[in-house]
Amino acid sequence: MIRKWLGAAFLALLTLAYGVAADAQTLVLKGGTVYATPEAAPLADAVIVMSSGAITAVGPASEVQIPPDARMIDCTGKTIVAGFWNSHVHLTEAVWKNAAEAPAASLTAHMQAMLTKWGVTTVWDLGSDPTDGFALRKRINAGEVLGPNIFFAGSIFPRDGHPIYLPPEMQLPEAATPERAEHLARSYMQMGLDGLKLFTGVFKGEDKAVVNMDAAIAKAGVDVVHAWVKPAFAHPQNRAGVDAVIAAGADVMAHTAPGANYTAEQLERFKQQNIALIPTLSLFAKLPIPPEISARLVDSAVQQLKAFSENGGKVLFGTDVGFTKLYDTTTEYELMHRALRGSQVLAALTTNPAGYFKATSKGRVQQGFDADLVILDGDPIADVRNLAKVAVTIRAGQVIYQKP
Ligand SMILES: [Zn+2]
């Protein structure tokens, strides 16, 4: 009885503490230039007010009332855009092991080095240990660890589909039949994962053939997650892998597939089926291969991105970070800019993923939207490299990274 009462009292105190904290945490950004969306005209000398995780006001300094007790960040000379999505990451590094018990400070520090220092407020993890992932997400959502909003996708590999770049002892979920793919996809959904990642093509090594997944097997997995209204990502690797994406009805290509330009027919199907593309160009730029081969892969991937985008396809920013140790996003922006305008690169980070994944309160700096914002040192439309020059990252109205 006493314990019950103590529990209730503790809860009441906690509620009180949070109530007070929420008021004290009304956050105001003052003096910066705001891009509400990538295509919108910039608003100079703006004021943004955030409270309880949402944007409560945005407008010119002359029109927005600043609450007297708010915490203020002076943004003079800075540019403010919506929080970035990295739609292809892996929380697989050793630092995430035992995420339930690991010290919060070390988890926050690595989130900053890998993601939030680069303006990232939402990620899609396309393959990791869900035990650690769920624990990490819980601690982030409780405000104990500072990090992004995380979505998880569970993987399915084809038979004999162990990629050469993953440790041979690693146990991977392979599906040799549609029934097996259906079973795996259903178990991921029941486990609480947010999507599926199919390897419709697997790289086995320079001298070996790519192993592709039968479209019927891929489709069995896709149908399950679509019934749960969740997206299916796919790693295509080659032209047959791209065809399997189309035939299976998967939603997002997790990479370009350098070496095989998209055919006119593939481009037409991308449009019909609303298939999105994550280019991961810097991944190909930083592979441990001779520079002239890497340059050829990058050129081919840039061509694919260009053809895809000019065809009207939705491009989603993603780097495969966690698999690659390249945390700095500058190269990805420079390479994307070879195929896209600056505003299109910003859209791939903000409005495109929010729209594609139906996150209706994300992707814009607008009243009523989530207070996920990035304060940049320079204008990203004038120079895309400024997208990597992050002064402050804010998620749900809380500063999760601030440049020292
Ligand atoms: Zn990946």
Side-chain angles (χ1 to χ4, degrees):
M1 197 62 181
I2 287 174
R3 191 175 293 171
K4 229 180 199 169
W5 184 86
L6 277 175
F10 180 67
L11 252 179
L13 271 175
L14 207 67
T15 312
L16 191 69
Y18 270 100
V20 169
D23 285 343
Q25 276 174 1
T26 293
L27 186 60
V28 170
L29 309 185
K30 187 176 182 298
T33 297
V34 174
Y35 283 99
T37 67
E39 304 296 341
L43 173 67
D45 193 19
V47 168
I48 301 174
V49 183
M50 289 163 269
S51 188
S52 303
I55 298 171
T56 54
V58 186
S62 55
E63 288 175 18
V64 178
Q65 280 263 310
I66 296 177
D69 57 346
R71 175 184 168 193
M72 186 104 72
I73 299 178
D74 179 10
C75 295
T76 308
K78 312 280 187 197
T79 303
I80 302 158
V81 293
F84 298 161
W85 291 57
N86 188 327
S87 299
H88 190 157
V89 313
H90 295 277
L91 300 172
T92 45
E93 291 168 283
V95 65
W96 310 123
K97 278 268 157 266
N98 304 312
E101 282 101 40
S106 69
L107 297 174
T108 294
H110 199 70
M111 274 300 175
Q112 290 181 333
M114 178 181 169
L115 294 165
T116 57
K117 177 183 177 179
W118 308 103
V120 176
T121 56
T122 302
V123 297
W124 266 99
D125 176 317
L126 300 188
S128 67
D129 177 346
T131 313
D132 289 327
F134 283 164
L136 188 60
R137 174 159 74 182
K138 198 170 160 197
R139 293 179 72 185
I140 290 172
N141 290 347
E144 189 197 341
V145 172
L146 302 183
N149 181 42
I150 309 173
F151 295 109
F152 294 101
S155 300
I156 302 181
F157 293 81
R159 178 167 45 188
D160 303 323
H162 198 118
I164 186 151
Y165 49 79
L166 291 181
E169 70 279 6
M170 196 183 262
Q171 291 290 318
L172 300 176
E174 294 186 0
T177 63
E179 291 71 29
R180 176 72 185 149
E182 193 185 325
H183 170 80
L184 282 169
R186 195 177 309 114
S187 69
Y188 292 152
M189 294 298 97
Q190 285 163 350
M191 203 189 285
L193 296 182
D194 308 291
L196 183 66
K197 161 91 171 285
L198 296 157
F199 282 75
T200 59
V202 175
F203 183 65
K204 303 286 287 182
E206 270 322 320
D207 51 343
K208 298 208 172 66
V210 167
V211 172
N212 289 112
M213 182 183 284
D214 283 352
I217 297 174
K219 186 173 185 299
V222 170
D223 287 349
V224 169
V225 297
H226 280 177
W228 285 67
V229 201
K230 301 285 167 85
F233 296 76
H235 174 123
Q237 193 66 40
N238 62 1
R239 186 166 287 166
V242 172
D243 283 334
V245 167
I246 293 167
D251 305 291
V252 184
M253 293 188 284
H255 300 280
T256 39
N261 280 346
Y262 301 134
T263 64
E265 196 195 336
Q266 286 176 334
L267 287 165
E268 190 49 41
R269 295 290 297 274
F270 294 157
K271 202 188 303 186
Q272 280 171 13
Q273 298 179 210
N274 191 28
I275 292 173
L277 173 68
I278 304 170
T280 68
L281 303 176
S282 52
L283 175 71
F284 305 116
K286 303 291 175 182
L287 289 175
I289 52 175
E292 65 277 12
I293 297 179
S294 157
R296 256 203 326 267
L297 284 180
V298 170
D299 285 346
S300 169
V302 166
Q303 281 316 307
Q304 286 191 331
L305 172 58
K306 198 167 160 45
F308 182 89
S309 173
E310 284 173 358
N311 189 50
K314 278 273 179 291
V315 178
L316 311 176
F317 176 85
T319 55
D320 213 351
V321 68
F323 171 68
T324 154
K325 299 292 176 276
L326 179 69
Y327 299 161
D328 188 334
T329 48
T330 309
T331 305
E332 187 67 25
Y333 297 136
E334 287 171 336
L335 294 174
M336 288 176 84
H337 193 41
R338 284 173 56 185
L340 307 176
R341 295 191 309 275
S343 60
Q344 292 177 307
V345 179
L346 181 56
L349 287 156
T350 57
T351 44
N352 287 0
Y356 197 84
F357 298 115
K358 301 183 174 60
T360 51
S361 63
K362 292 193 185 294
R364 291 163 176 256
V365 188
Q366 199 172 301
Q367 188 181 336
F369 276 62
D370 291 354
D372 294 355
L373 302 169
V374 188
I375 305 173
L376 299 168
D377 283 335
D379 187 318
I381 304 299
D383 184 344
V384 288
R385 289 172 298 186
N386 285 332
L387 288 165
K389 293 180 182 148
V390 173
V392 180
T393 306
I394 296 165
R395 182 208 167 207
Q398 184 184 23
V399 172
I400 57 170
Y401 167 78
Q402 185 146 24
K403 191 169 75 176

